[in-house]
């Protein structure tokens, strides 16, 4: 509440939130923020394809009556791994390598897993691919992603988060869906998505490592 002439008036919080268009302009105009947005698009594309590929492989290779027990066992183990990474691994990796190198870990593992799927690794490769995704995405990767906003000024941070939430995440999911529909319509074997995962994950690794150079430059506010 703000006081004007002795009266309390509500503060309009929305007035301080940049519009989507201004957020896009501010994010794309700043080299560091723009690269962060590109990284988020690439990782969102990769994660969506990994999730679809894993579930498709399970549906293809696991008997229908065994699906419940299979998913229960797999996700139980993956949740334990994710908890261990969050409690033990995340802090050490970020302290030693910094957030940008930490962000290259998961895409690097996904690139290897995608290659295994593409080369015919079957369900085993798919489980390892999903294991890396589930074990690191919500622990190491998410923590390192949040740290990317720290060097930004207040206005640029607000603009970048708005733009990334609307365009990078939702847009990445939409593009992945179109790619999946295209593969399904063409009747191509789902293992070919492993090659797409390799390309996208490798691009994410390169983008994450290049962010390290731009961390040296001051991230001034460009959002107006």
């Amino acid at each position: 509440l703000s006081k004007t002439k002795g009266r309390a008036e509500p503060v309009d919080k929305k007035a301080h939130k940049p519009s989507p268009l201004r957020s896009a302009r501010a994010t794309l105009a700043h080299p560091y923020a723009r690269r962060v947005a590109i990284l988020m698009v690439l990782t969102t594309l990769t994660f969506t394809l990994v999730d679809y590929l894993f579930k498709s492989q399970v549906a293809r290779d696991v008997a229908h009556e065994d699906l419940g027990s299979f998913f229960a066992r797999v996700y139980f183990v993956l949740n334990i791994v994710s908890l261990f990474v969050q409690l033990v691994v995340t802090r050490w990796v970020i302290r030693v390598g910094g957030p940008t190198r930490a962000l290259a870990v998961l895409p690097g593992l996904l690139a290897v897993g995608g290659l295994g799927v593409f080369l015919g690794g079957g369900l085993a490769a798919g489980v390892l691919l999903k294991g890396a995704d589930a074990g690191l995405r919500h622990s190491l990767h998410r923590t390192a992603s949040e740290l990317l906003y720290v060097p930004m000024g207040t206005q640029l941070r607000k603009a970048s988060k708005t733009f990334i939430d609307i365009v990078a995440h939702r847009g990445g999911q939409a593009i992945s869906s179109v790619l999946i529909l295209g593969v399904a319509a063409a009747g191509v074997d789902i293992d070919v998505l492993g090659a797409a995962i390799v390309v996208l994950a490798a691009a994410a690794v390169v983008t994450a490592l290049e962010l390290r150079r731009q961390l040296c430059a001051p991230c001034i506010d460009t959002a107006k």
Side-chain angles (χ1 to χ4, degrees):
L1 299 180
S2 60
K3 293 183 179 180
T4 304
K5 295 183 180 181
R7 295 182 179 181
E9 297 180 355
V11 176
D12 186 5
K13 294 183 179 181
K14 291 184 179 180
H16 299 285
K17 186 176 182 179
S19 67
L21 181 58
R22 289 184 177 180
S23 297
R25 289 175 177 172
T27 303
L28 297 177
H30 195 284
Y32 176 79
R34 182 172 62 247
R35 195 168 292 278
V36 170
I38 292 173
L39 176 61
M40 296 307 172
V41 172
L42 290 171
T43 52
T44 299
L45 285 166
T46 307
F47 296 155
T48 305
L49 293 181
V50 167
D51 189 61
Y52 174 80
L53 179 58
F54 169 68
K55 291 177 179 177
S56 298
Q57 284 186 316
V58 172
R60 181 187 64 184
D61 299 337
V62 178
H64 179 73
E65 60 273 15
D66 297 330
L67 287 176
S69 59
F70 177 85
F71 279 118
R73 291 194 301 269
V74 169
Y75 282 110
F76 174 76
V77 173
L78 295 183
N79 285 328
I80 296 297
V81 172
S82 180
L83 179 62
F84 174 79
V85 172
Q86 182 66 53
L87 295 177
V88 179
V89 178
T90 298
R91 183 177 180 181
W92 179 81
V93 172
I94 293 177
R95 185 176 69 248
V96 173
T100 55
R101 290 178 180 173
L103 282 169
V105 174
L106 178 54
L109 293 175
L110 295 182
V112 175
L115 182 61
V117 171
F118 180 68
L119 295 178
L123 183 60
V127 170
L128 292 175
L129 184 68
K130 183 60 180 178
D133 173 46
L136 299 178
R137 191 203 307 188
H138 301 293
S139 52
L140 174 64
H141 195 81
R142 174 175 290 181
T143 302
S145 296
E146 290 298 321
L147 291 175
L148 292 181
Y149 296 103
V150 173
M152 299 182 186
T154 303
Q155 294 303 316
L156 180 60
R157 186 183 304 118
K158 290 180 180 179
S160 297
K161 285 193 171 185
T162 299
F163 176 76
I164 288 171
D165 287 343
I166 295 175
V167 177
H169 292 314
R170 303 306 175 193
Q173 291 172 346
I175 295 172
S176 297
S177 299
V178 172
L179 178 59
I180 291 170
L181 289 173
V183 170
V188 180
D189 190 271
I190 58 173
D191 289 349
V192 74
L193 289 176
I197 290 172
V198 172
V199 173
L200 291 170
V205 170
V206 173
T207 304
L209 294 179
E210 287 184 349
L211 274 171
R212 187 175 182 84
R213 293 185 305 173
Q214 295 184 343
L215 280 173
C216 299
C219 292
I220 60 175
D221 283 335
T222 57
K224 302 296 183 181

